[in-house]
Amino acid sequence: MTKTFYVTTPIYYVNDVPHIGHAYTTVAADVIARYKRLRGFDVHFLTGTDEHGMKVEKSAAEAMISPIELANSVVERYKKLWPLLNISNTDFIRTTEGRHKTAVDRIWSDVKKKGDIYLGHYEDWYCTPCETFLTELQLVDGKCPECLREVEKLTEESYFFKLSEFGDSLIEYIEKNPGFIEPASREREITNFIKTGLRDLSVSRTTFSWGIPVPDDPKHVIYVWFDALTNYLASVGYPNDDLKFKKYWPADLHIIGKDILRFHTVYWPAFLESAELPKPKKVFAHGWWTVDGAKMSKSTGNVVDPVAIAEEYGTDQFRFFLFREVPFGADGDFSIEALKSRINSELANDLGNLLSRSVSMIIKYRDGVVPDYVEASIGELENELLNSFSALSSSIDKLFAHLNYYDVLNEIWLRVREMNAYVGNCEPWKETDDDKLSTVLHLLAAGLKVLSVYINPFMPTASEKLRVQLGLSPSLEGKDFDDEISFLGTVNGLKVTKGDPLFPKVD
Ligand code: MSP
C-alpha cells in the first residue's frame, strides 16, 4: 500500500492580500510535500482561505462590497500567487464552500451531542483584528497584547465549548507524542499554558451574521476558529467520504505561524477529541519575518509582496532564501540586500558555477559525453567526496522529519562547496592522466545529479534545468529515489549541454 502524507497550511483570511508571511507558510508546506513525493508518498497538500467572521464582515463593509465579493477577489490573488511560487497543492479549500459547511455542521452536532457544548452568557474583551477573546488580565494598557489595538467589551448569549475539561488529556497527548508540537520551545509554551488552567471557550456569536449558523439555533453563528479549523477535515472527505477520510486523516503535519499555535495545539485537538476523531500527528510553528528590522505593517508601508519578489528575483531564488537565511522555527529579517547576497554568493557562485564549469569540462575534454570512472583512479580525494555523499541521504531524511530545512540546506551546500574544492584541488585542466580525468568528470556529473534531487523540494525549476544540462530527464516524478541519489556509475554516457546560467547574478 502506498504511504500517505497529509500536510496543511493555515487557511488565510481574505481581509488582507497575500504577503511574504503567507508565502512563507505555503512554500514551507510545498517543500515537505515535494520531498515526501520524491520519497514515494501519496501526498495530500491543502491550502485555502478563511472567509467568515466579524473581521471579514467589517472589511467588506468598509469597502462597500459584500463579504463574498471581498472573498472572491482575494481568492483570485491567492490562486494567482500559488502557481507563480510553484506551489504543488492538491486542494484549495474555501470556508464558504458547501463541503466545508457540511463538515462544520457535523462536527458541531457531534460535539454538542457529546455534551461538550452548552448555552451560556459571555462577557469579555474581544480583539476583532485578531479574532481573539481576552481576559482582563491579558490586556496590556487596556489593549490587545498581540496587536496593541483597541478591544471591545462584549456581553451576549453564547454557546461554550467545555475546554476546561480537556487539560489533562491534552497534556497526556503531548507527553505521549514527543514531536507533536515543534520546535520544542513551542511545546513548553503550550504545556505551561495548559497547566495554568483552561477556561471554557465561547464558540458562537450573535452580533454579526457572516458565518456558518449554529445548527438548530441560527441566530448564532459559529466562532470563526471552530469553523476554520474544520477545513482540515473537510478537505479529506469528512464526514461523507469515509474511504478518503481514512486514507489521509489524521493529518501528518499542520504548518502554522507561531501566532496561531494555541488554536492548533489546544482548541483543535480538544474539538477532535470531543468528536472522537484522531488528533493530528504534528503541528510545526514557524517564526515571523520582519522587514529591514521593522515589523511589517500596512501603515508602515513595508509589506513585502511575494509576487514582486518572485518576478524580479526568481521563484526558486525567493524560495531558497526563505529557508537558507533563517532557521525554520525562528524569527528572521527580510531585506533585498540579504536576498541578493544569497543569490550571488550561494546560488550563482557556488552551485551555478559548479554546474557550468563541470559541463564545460565534459564538453571540452570528452565531447560532451560523461565518461565512466576508472576504479584505479579513485584516490584519497575521491574517497572523501564519496563518503561525504553517502552520508547525505539518512542525515537529510532525519532533518526533514523535524522540518529542519536550514540544516538540510547546510548539508547540501557543504557538498556543493566540497565539490568546488575538489575541482580546485584536482585541477582537471592540468590533468595528463586520461583515466584520472575521466574519473574526476564522472564524479562531478554524479555529484550534480545527486544535488539535483536534494535541491528539488526547495528549487523545483532549477533542479529541472540542472538535470537538462546534465542530459537527465528533467522531472523526478515517478523516479525511484534511491536510484536518483546513487552515485558512482550511474551517469556514464549522459550527453551534457551548456545552458543559460542556472542563477543569473543580480546587482
Ligand atoms: N485564518 C487564520 C488561520 C486559520 S487556520 C485554520 C489566520 N490567517 S492569517 O492570514 O492571518 O495568517 C496566516 C499565516 O500567516 C499565519 O501562519 C501567520 O503566522 C502567517 N504570517 C502572517 N504574518 C507573518 C509574518 N510577518 N511572518 C511570517 N508569517 C506570518 O491566521
Side-chain angles (χ1 to χ4, degrees):
M1 224 177 60
T2 341
K3 312 162 278 183
T4 62
F5 189 80
Y6 178 21
V7 57
T8 70
T9 74
I11 47 172
Y12 303 107
Y13 287 129
V14 290
N15 61 317
D16 198 1
V17 296
H19 59 59
I20 186 178
H22 311 121
Y24 190 44
T25 325
T26 306
V27 177
D30 189 61
V31 169
I32 193 79
R34 286 177 183 275
Y35 178 69
K36 288 288 173 179
R37 275 189 212 113
L38 288 179
R39 304 298 316 240
F41 286 77
D42 167 344
V43 174
H44 186 63
F45 170 13
L46 173 67
T47 187
T49 41
D50 189 352
E51 305 187 7
H52 292 133
M54 187 143 87
K55 191 153 78 170
V56 173
E57 193 179 87
K58 273 192 177 169
S59 299
E62 279 159 21
M64 297 201 294
I65 52 176
S66 66
I68 193 69
E69 284 171 321
L70 174 65
N72 287 342
S73 71
V74 175
V75 165
E76 276 314 298
R77 304 203 40 168
Y78 277 106
K79 288 198 167 171
K80 275 199 190 116
L81 174 62
W82 298 147
L84 175 67
L85 296 184
N86 223 336
I87 302 302
S88 63
N89 57 301
T90 51
D91 193 6
F92 185 106
I93 196 165
R94 301 181 54 174
T95 55
T96 47
E97 283 175 57
R99 60 172 171 159
H100 176 76
K101 181 175 179 296
T102 306
V104 175
D105 282 350
R106 176 59 179 272
I107 189 172
W108 176 282
S109 304
D110 283 357
V111 172
K112 180 98 193 305
K113 252 187 255 151
K114 193 72 179 289
D116 289 330
I117 286 179
Y118 63 90
L119 190 61
H121 275 88
Y122 182 80
E123 180 172 302
D124 227 335
W125 298 101
Y126 192 75
C127 174
T128 309
C130 297
E131 298 278 17
T132 310
F133 294 101
L134 298 160
T135 61
E136 193 76 40
L137 278 176
Q138 287 173 301
L139 303 184
V140 174
D141 297 332
K143 296 194 174 139
C144 170
E146 272 298 320
C147 68
L148 300 175
R149 281 181 274 207
E150 297 292 338
V151 289
E152 298 173 59
K153 186 100 183 191
L154 297 174
T155 308
E156 56 180 279
E157 184 186 271
S158 168
Y159 284 95
F160 283 83
F161 173 73
K162 289 185 185 165
L163 186 64
S164 59
E165 296 184 358
F166 288 82
D168 290 344
S169 65
L170 288 172
I171 291 286
E172 189 185 315
Y173 185 73
I174 293 170
E175 282 172 356
K176 282 201 178 140
N177 296 278
F180 165 53
I181 304 174
E182 285 195 332
S185 58
R186 300 288 169 204
E187 181 189 300
R188 287 192 291 278
E189 181 185 319
I190 288 301
T191 310
N192 290 340
F193 170 72
I194 298 171
K195 285 185 175 162
T196 58
L198 297 175
R199 294 193 310 154
D200 287 352
L201 181 71
S202 165
V203 286
S204 79
R205 305 290 307 275
T206 53
T207 47
F208 66 95
S209 60
W210 181 236
I212 298 177
V214 166
D216 304 323
D217 195 355
K219 68 175 184 294
H220 288 257
V221 296
I222 294 176
Y223 173 45
V224 66
W225 274 99
F226 191 98
D227 165 344
L229 287 159
T230 305
N231 89 90
Y232 302 135
L233 299 174
S235 169
V236 289
Y238 175 86
N240 294 324
D241 185 346
D242 226 34
L243 218 63
K244 184 170 184 188
F245 188 61
K246 289 223 167 73
K247 180 172 175 195
Y248 292 112
W249 193 261
D252 293 275
L253 175 63
H254 294 312
I255 302 187
I256 58 166
K258 62 180 183 179
D259 53 317
I260 54 176
L261 183 64
R262 206 174 278 179
F263 301 100
H264 283 82
T265 55
V266 182
Y267 300 179
W268 182 225
F271 298 157
L272 289 167
E273 183 169 318
S274 170
E276 297 181 14
L277 294 166
K279 300 180 180 70
K281 293 185 198 155
K282 188 188 289 299
V283 177
F284 189 101
H286 65 66
W288 270 46
W289 289 94
T290 51
V291 177
D292 297 318
K295 195 176 155 142
M296 196 167 63
S297 83
K298 271 191 232 168
S299 49
T300 327
N302 64 347
V303 176
V304 177
D305 173 10
V307 176
I309 302 289
E311 282 176 349
E312 180 155 4
Y313 297 97
T315 293
D316 280 344
Q317 288 84 337
F318 179 48
R319 291 172 59 117
F320 172 77
F321 175 83
L322 292 175
F323 303 106
R324 180 65 173 150
E325 184 71 4
V326 179
F328 194 50
D331 293 333
D333 187 52
F334 180 87
S335 73
I336 294 292
E337 277 322 301
L339 171 66
K340 285 186 190 167
S341 135
R342 290 279 171 193
I343 293 175
N344 288 336
S345 64
E346 298 189 322
L347 294 180
N349 280 348
D350 292 350
L351 181 58
N353 275 346
L354 175 66
L355 175 69
S356 86
R357 71 210 289 214
S358 303
V359 166
S360 298
M361 289 190 288
I362 295 168
I363 291 174
K364 185 162 177 199
Y365 302 123
R366 291 294 180 269
D367 285 332
V369 179
V370 179
D372 203 350
Y373 69 101
V374 179
E375 191 72 51
S377 308
I378 297 201
E380 204 181 316
L381 291 180
E382 286 69 29
N383 274 324
E384 265 175 29
L385 200 64
L386 292 172
N387 289 339
S388 170
F389 269 79
S390 74
L392 201 52
S393 159
S394 81
S395 77
I396 284 195
D397 204 53
K398 284 193 199 107
L399 294 169
F400 265 121
H402 302 284
L403 283 89
N404 190 342
Y405 297 164
Y406 189 73
D407 285 336
V408 169
L409 287 171
N410 257 335
E411 291 282 325
I412 300 173
W413 252 257
L414 213 67
R415 272 51 178 204
V416 172
R417 296 202 173 115
E418 278 170 6
M419 285 182 63
N420 276 320
Y422 176 68
V423 177
N425 290 331
C426 295
E427 302 186 305
W429 45 91
K430 290 188 189 159
E431 186 60 66
T432 50
D433 174 349
D434 241 20
D435 285 356
K436 183 76 185 186
L437 183 57
S438 287
T439 302
V440 172
L441 297 176
H442 183 94
L443 252 62
L444 290 178
L448 281 162
K449 183 192 82 168
V450 176
L451 292 174
S452 81
V453 179
Y454 287 120
I455 65 164
N456 182 278
F458 299 94
M459 300 187 283
T461 307
S463 160
E464 295 200 347
K465 285 189 180 158
L466 193 163
R467 293 173 64 86
V468 168
Q469 294 200 27
L470 280 181
L472 291 160
S473 69
S475 166
L476 285 163
E477 215 180 298
K479 292 262 164 32
D480 181 80
F481 186 81
D482 291 325
D483 284 352
E484 292 305 315
I485 58 158
S486 63
F487 203 92
L488 277 186
T490 61
V491 286
N492 318 341
L494 287 178
K495 181 103 190 63
V496 305
T497 41
K498 192 101 189 123
D500 292 335
L502 206 50
F503 304 105
K505 284 218 173 189
V506 293
D507 327 313

